[in-house]
Each structure stands twice: as structure tokens, then as C-alpha cells.
Amino acid sequence: MFYREAGQFRTTYAQDTQLLPLREDRVGMAFMLIIAFGVIPFVASDYWLSALLIPWLILALVALGQNILMGYAGQLSLGAAGFMAVGAFACYNLILRVDGIPFVVAIALSGVCSALVGIVFGLPSLRIRGLYLAVATLASQFFIVWALDKFGWFKNYDVAGVITAQQIVIFGHTFATPQEKYWVVLVIVAALTWAAKNMARGSIGRGWMAVRDMDVAAEVTGLPLMRTKLQAFAISSFYCGVGGALFAFAYLQTVEPSAFTIELSFRILFMVIIGGLGTILGSFLGAGFILLTPIFLNILFHAIFGKAVDATITSALEQVIFGVMIIAFLIFEPHGLARMWQQTKERLRLWPFPH
Amino acid sequence: MTMLDFQFFIEVLVGGLLSGLMYSLVALGFVLIYKASGVFNFAQGAMVFFAVLSFVGFMELGLPFWGALPVTVVLMVIVGMATERFVLRPLVNQNENTLLMATIGLAFVIEGVAQMVWGVDVRRLDLGIKDEPISWLADKTGVFVSQLDITAGVVAGVMVAALGLLFSRTKVGRGLRAVADDPAAALSIGIPLKHIWMLVWAAAGVVALVAGMLWGARSGVQFALVLLALKALPVLIIGGFTSVPGVIVAGLIVGGSEKLAEVYIGPSFGGGIEGWFPYMLAVLFLLIRPEGLFGEKIIRRV
């Protein structure tokens, strides 16, 4: 009823290959973008922007990077937070040491730094796979955070341990309020999401998926295995690096190695799994779910127990519920939130005559 | 190298080897479950924490040492069986990633429950074995080796020997190996798959308790024990996911080299390389032998 492709014919190749072939999708996407750019920044409070929406967008970007590596190219990795740290510190040092570097260039270059590191740590993937590879990527996580902590140059010999991130300055304008930061993050995330969607459905993405499904067979059909795998590592780390730089500059306002722990890597992993492996939409849904659930539980417990119960008990209870939800999710919908959305769309298409 | 240097070297090496055996104990729980059900149980660290915290908790409630021990063993068996029943059985035939995620979720639950029931305070566990050097050895050779470390090493050895016997000599062990080889075939010839899996999870729970008691006695019963699971990972991949003796050898390699690296190479990098050295070592091993030292050869067909 609301959502159907009947009567929409594709008569040219351009129409056939466009990003959103259905009119309903195009309208919906335009509507969402208008709301995201034009409505939310004006109606949402500063708390909503800086504590929920900005981290949501940034983590969705990182989850997208993780999804490229894990969902599309099939390389299980546990080091996303390490690559985020590379991005954050690269951005800090670029702005600090290169006079007058534009912020956007610094962000892009920090993504490139992260991609280079990603290629180095992706090299073992040529020989090992699966869980063994996951443990190998743990090496990158621990090594990167250790190196950033131990070598003073990265932190500009700061002894306090917590470095304040520089201001975001673009074309001479300082983006200081949550509203302005939200716009910066939104533009970058939207552009990179568009790029990811196109990569995923183009020949690059098909290469990744071939490697994921059966790498030996992919190689036999003439796909350069080394290049494809390292490409996935590089692009994934690029996304993580940009996400990490934004995480430090637009969300935390500080640059510190301790923000990029193994727990963050796990959370990003959860986002990808809960959202849906190998889907762009899933990265956003998963990031929202993992970010919002603990906040929601916290508010809920405050409302129920107030101050009557010890905070350590409620936080432990939150953890238990979070864990149970994850397990339940995996049991009942192992393909993630993106699949649920797809099924909803399918129902909408047939409604109100489901047969 | 002077005599004193040599003694110091031996001390570092022996200390490292023995703490490596304690990693092996944690890794053993992983191997048990992976061997029988192909699940990479990330919650093993949480189980270690939960087990020893419960043990100490029961002792605080007034149970004597030998009273708390069986109670905790029973508790861990129940936890293991419940895990199998409510988490893994509904997930049979899912892919590796999903199972891994489920066990990470399980780790959250177990850690949360442990802290909810027993609180978050750091506790001390006294096994009656002192973390002090053995005096006669120190007098004779000048090498200081902790009694607790030696005990841990012996316990690890005994556990591995016992599990090795269980796997190779008993009927249950034969069933376990059959299930590990091919669950469907094992099921079709009448091996009770569900019972075998429950048994393995229960055994992993008990192994977790033993590992937890030794670690708890050494470094206090605290949340940081959960991170042990991560240190057990390099041990696991160097040894190969499916090999019980491999775990011991790999534990020795990781423990020994980690301490030596920290003491002899660490200072030139500002220290703290213990945190990542085992992982790098594991990667190097994997580049040469992708299936680990004792793992089954990975055969891939197209």
C-alpha cells in the first residue's frame, strides 16, 4: 500500500544503477536528510546533540568501517578502537604541527594514517583467518594504545595524560557549539556513508564479498586476494580513523589513549553484529541500539529505584540486562536489526492484503 | 655474565614459566569447550572471576574451606549447564561470529551477576600457601621461586594430565572426541550430544574455579581477573585451539618470553611491553604455523 514498486519502470541504464531506484526510497531519504540537517539541530537540546546524536553518528561511522572489514570482507577483527586512536592522535598532531592545515584535510589525512597502519596490521590476514585472525588483531589494539601512551612525541610530551583537543576551525569559522559540531559530523558521516554504499554495491564490494564467501574460489576466478584483503583493511581503518578523530574532536574534546580501550572495540563489534553484518543501514541501527540501551536502562533504574539502591548494584544489573538482550537478540534475530527493517518493508509492501 | 646475573635470569625465567602455566589453566577451559562444541567461549574469564568470587563469598558467609569448595563446584557445574541449555543450545548451527558474540554477552551477564551478588570489593584469598620464596632452594642456589607459583605449576600439570586421561582412556572421553570430530555423525551412532556438551561446560566451570583460586590467591579476587581471559588468548592460538598439551607448551612459551622481554627489552621502550608482547609473539607464530603448534592441520576445500 505505502511501499510498492508497481508502475515504476526503469527504462535507462542510469535509472537501473541509481542508488535508490524506488521513488518511495528517494522520498524517504530526502525527507530524512532534511530532518537531519534542517530540523534536528534546531529542535534538539544541547544534551541531545552532544551526548546522543554526535556520538551516535560517529560510532555509526566506525561501525561502518568495522562492517566493511567484517561484514563485507569477512575478516574478523577486534582492533577497531586501536585504529580510532591512530586517527585521533594523527589529527591532533597534524593540527598541532602543520601550520594552517584545514580541519577537513587534517581529518582526511588522519584517516589515511589510520589506513596505512591498518594495512600493516592487515598483513597477517593473508595467512591466517577466522578466530586466529581476531586474536592477531588484538595485537594491534594493545600495541597501538601502548605506543601512543609510551612515546611522548605523540602526546607532544604532555605530562597530564589528558590532552585538550584543538578547536574545529573551517574557513576561519570556529565550530564550537554542539549544534555546529553536529553539522560538521553529519556532513562527514553522510558523505562517507554515501561512498561506502557505492563501494559496497560496486566492483570493490563484490570483490570483498567474494573473498568473504570463499577466498580460494575468489582467487581462482582471478581476484587478486592480497590486494582485496588489504584494500578492505585500509578502507575499514580509514573509516575508523576518521571516526576516531571525530570522536576525540567533536565528542570527547580530549585526546587520550585510555579512551580507546578494548571495551570500545567490543562495543563496536556488538554494533555490527546487532545491526546486521554486511549492511550499511545495520551499522547505524546497531550503533544506536548499543549506545542508547545503557542510557535508557540507566534512566529507567533511576526512575524505579531512585537513590534507594546502591549505584554499583544498578550498574551491575544494567550490565546483566544488556548481556541478556544481546544473547536474546542473537537467538531470535541473528541477522540483526537491518533484517528486521527489511521484513517490515516487505510487510508494508503487501499491507493491507498480505496474501 | 656473572653468577648473579645468571641467577637473576633463572629467576625471571622460572617466574615467567610458572605464571605461564597459570595462563594455561585459564586457556584449558577454552580448549575444553572449543574441542567439544566449536564454540570460542569468551566468557571463560568471567567464569574464572565468578567462580573464585563465589568461593570467597561462601567462605565469608561462614563456610569452612572444605565446605565452600564443593558448594562452589556444584554452583559452577550448574552455571556451566545452564549456559549450555539457555545460551548455546538455541544457537546450534549458527556461525562462529554469532557464537563468539553470544559468549561475550554471556560474559557481561556473569560479571554483572557476580558483582550484584557479591559486591565489587577486592578480596583476599588465603589458600594456606604463601607467595614467598622456597627457602631451601633459595639457600642452596640463590634462586628465589615462589611457593605459590610452584603449586600453581603442579596443579596445572595435574589438571592437564587428568584431562588427558579423561580424553584418551574413558568412555566419556571417547564420546567427547567423537563429538569434536563430527557432531552429526556422533549423534547418529547414539552418543548423547546434549549430555556431552553439558558435561564439557560443567568441566570448564570447574577448571575456571581452580584457575580462579590460584590467580585469586596470587593477585587478589578482583574484577581484573576477567582480563586474564585475554592473556589466555595468545596461549590458546600458539598452542592451537584443540590441543590440551599444546596449551601447556604455549603457556610456558608465553609466560617465559613475556617476562624475559619485559625485564631485558622492556626498559629500552619505557616498559609495559608485557601488555602486547604475547599477542605479537602469537602473530609471529601464526605466520609460520597458521594452525598453532599442536592444532589440527587446517584443510580447506573449494
Side-chain angles (χ1 to χ4, degrees):
Chain A
M1 174 86 180
F2 295 118
Y3 190 90
R4 61 178 38 166
E5 65 274 33
Q8 298 189 36
F9 302 109
R10 301 169 198 169
T11 48
T12 61
Y13 282 120
Q15 276 177 355
D16 204 33
T17 55
Q18 64 182 322
L19 195 59
L20 300 167
L22 280 186
R23 195 195 308 122
E24 282 82 357
D25 280 340
R26 283 197 296 276
V27 172
M29 184 53 77
F31 189 63
M32 264 169 45
L33 285 178
I34 288 169
I35 290 190
F37 275 96
V39 180
I40 286 176
F42 298 106
V43 294
S45 66
D46 279 1
Y47 168 77
W48 271 77
L49 284 172
S50 56
L52 299 177
L53 288 166
I54 291 177
W56 173 56
L57 285 172
I58 295 169
L59 288 174
L61 184 67
V62 179
L64 195 55
Q66 175 83 358
N67 216 337
I68 286 173
L69 191 57
M70 202 174 145
Y72 284 104
Q75 310 293 311
L76 185 52
S77 152
L78 295 174
F83 298 124
M84 284 174 77
V86 173
F89 275 87
C91 197
Y92 169 74
N93 280 300
L94 281 166
I95 295 179
L96 182 77
R97 289 168 209 278
V98 182
D99 238 5
I101 188 169
F103 183 75
V104 177
V105 176
I107 287 269
L109 283 179
S110 51
V112 172
C113 289
S114 185
L116 293 176
V117 177
I119 290 175
V120 172
F121 282 104
L123 285 172
S125 74
L126 302 177
R127 210 162 139 68
I128 51 186
R129 52 175 66 81
L131 291 170
Y132 289 88
L133 180 63
V135 177
T137 56
L138 272 181
S140 70
Q141 163 79 40
F142 287 113
F143 179 77
I144 289 170
V145 173
W146 172 83
L148 291 174
D149 205 30
K150 272 287 174 278
F151 297 106
W153 187 84
F154 292 117
K155 295 195 284 189
N156 200 25
Y157 302 102
D158 180 278
V159 280
V162 180
I163 310 160
T164 311
Q166 297 98 329
Q167 296 282 357
I168 301 174
V169 183
I170 301 173
F171 292 126
H173 179 74
T174 307
F175 287 72
T177 66
Q179 195 186 24
E180 290 169 328
K181 281 184 180 145
Y182 170 79
W183 268 318
V184 173
V185 172
L186 185 63
V187 169
I188 293 174
V189 171
L192 284 177
T193 307
W194 175 77
K197 179 76 190 165
N198 276 322
M199 273 189 284
R201 69 196 191 117
S203 64
I204 299 176
R206 275 158 208 254
W208 292 338
M209 284 184 261
V211 169
R212 172 191 67 191
D213 292 341
M214 176 59 89
D215 54 356
V216 182
E219 199 174 16
V220 168
T221 55
L223 198 78
L225 203 54
M226 185 172 98
R227 213 181 68 196
T228 315
K229 277 187 178 174
L230 291 185
Q231 190 182 43
F233 265 95
I235 292 174
S236 159
S237 322
F238 179 87
Y239 276 71
C240 290
V242 170
L246 289 175
F247 197 69
F249 279 74
Y251 173 54
L252 294 176
Q253 331 281 2
T254 57
V255 187
E256 47 180 331
S258 58
F260 303 100
T261 55
I262 182 83
E263 278 82 28
L264 185 61
S265 285
F266 281 146
R267 281 176 70 196
I268 292 160
L269 202 64
F270 278 134
M271 290 171 192
V272 174
I273 303 262
I274 300 268
L277 278 171
T279 57
I280 303 283
L281 176 70
S283 312
F284 283 82
L285 296 179
F289 184 85
I290 298 293
L291 188 72
L292 291 183
T293 307
I295 296 174
F296 173 73
L297 286 177
N298 198 319
I299 294 171
L300 188 73
F301 285 140
H302 264 283
I304 297 173
F305 301 124
K307 298 249 182 298
V309 181
D310 198 17
T312 52
I313 294 197
T314 52
S315 77
L317 189 59
E318 270 168 48
Q319 205 182 0
V320 172
I321 294 180
F322 190 59
V324 169
M325 280 174 85
I326 284 167
I327 295 172
F329 227 103
L330 293 170
I331 291 174
F332 296 115
E333 187 48 271
H335 296 287
L337 288 162
R339 176 64 153 272
M340 285 166 93
W341 167 240
Q342 210 169 14
Q343 283 166 346
T344 315
K345 269 205 312 199
E346 202 62 23
R347 295 222 179 87
L348 275 178
R349 213 173 125 232
L350 298 173
W351 190 85
F353 305 111
H355 297 294
Chain B
M1 193 187 269
T2 65
M3 192 60 202
L4 212 60
D5 283 345
F6 184 68
Q7 277 175 358
F8 180 66
F9 172 81
I10 293 289
E11 249 172 61
V12 172
L13 182 66
V14 170
L17 291 177
L18 291 171
S19 71
L21 282 176
M22 290 175 62
Y23 292 141
S24 303
L25 264 179
V26 181
L28 203 57
F30 281 95
V31 171
L32 264 179
I33 290 172
Y34 191 83
K35 219 170 146 69
S37 55
V39 175
F40 186 80
N41 178 27
F42 221 92
Q44 189 67 29
M47 277 164 75
V48 168
F49 172 60
F50 181 74
V52 65
L53 195 60
S54 307
F55 179 71
V56 175
F58 285 131
M59 287 202 356
E60 276 177 8
L61 289 180
L63 283 174
F65 184 91
W66 294 109
L69 193 60
V71 175
T72 319
V73 168
V74 170
L75 180 71
M76 287 318 291
V77 168
I78 293 171
V79 168
M81 285 180 165
T83 304
E84 197 281 327
R85 177 67 192 82
F86 295 110
V87 180
L88 290 152
R89 201 178 300 168
L91 286 170
V92 164
N93 278 338
Q94 295 289 352
N95 66 22
E96 264 185 354
N97 290 346
T98 311
L99 291 171
L100 175 70
M101 288 321 268
T103 59
I104 298 180
L106 179 67
F108 278 32
V109 175
I110 294 178
E111 286 160 20
V113 170
Q115 290 178 334
M116 226 156 69
V117 177
W118 304 112
V120 289
D121 305 332
V122 177
R123 290 181 169 84
R124 290 169 52 81
L125 173 63
D126 190 9
L127 294 178
I129 311 157
K130 292 195 184 67
D131 197 0
E132 281 171 4
I134 298 167
S135 48
W136 63 264
L137 194 68
D139 292 342
K140 258 194 179 153
T141 58
V143 177
F144 292 86
V145 179
S146 157
Q147 288 178 17
L148 185 66
D149 284 352
I150 291 279
T151 315
V154 171
V155 170
V158 170
M159 293 283 286
V160 168
L163 284 172
L165 283 178
L166 179 86
F167 270 108
S168 60
R169 297 266 177 249
T170 63
K171 197 175 170 190
V172 173
R174 219 176 299 140
L176 277 171
R177 277 184 294 155
V179 170
D181 266 356
D182 188 340
L187 198 58
S188 72
I189 56 163
I191 292 170
L193 198 56
K194 287 174 185 167
H195 293 178
I196 293 274
W197 278 345
M198 279 204 169
L199 188 87
V200 168
W201 275 91
V206 175
V207 171
L209 174 63
V210 175
M213 283 169 67
L214 290 169
W215 275 104
R218 189 187 211 200
S219 46
V221 179
Q222 54 181 327
F223 189 71
L225 287 180
V226 171
L227 299 176
L228 273 179
L230 292 175
K231 265 291 172 61
L233 292 182
V235 174
L236 207 55
I237 59 173
I238 290 177
F241 278 136
T242 49
S243 165
V244 174
V247 155
I248 292 293
V249 176
L252 291 173
I253 294 174
V254 167
S257 61
E258 168 188 274
K259 287 286 180 301
L260 288 178
E262 179 67 42
V263 171
Y264 288 101
I265 311 172
S268 43
F269 291 107
I273 67 172
E274 253 181 308
W276 54 265
F277 185 80
Y279 299 95
M280 285 293 183
L281 190 72
V283 173
L284 288 181
F285 262 94
L286 285 181
L287 289 178
I288 299 161
R289 271 187 74 86
E291 65 276 357
L293 280 180
F294 295 86
E296 284 153 28
K297 188 98 190 133
I298 304 164
I299 301 166
R300 290 167 51 81
R301 297 187 177 86
V302 180

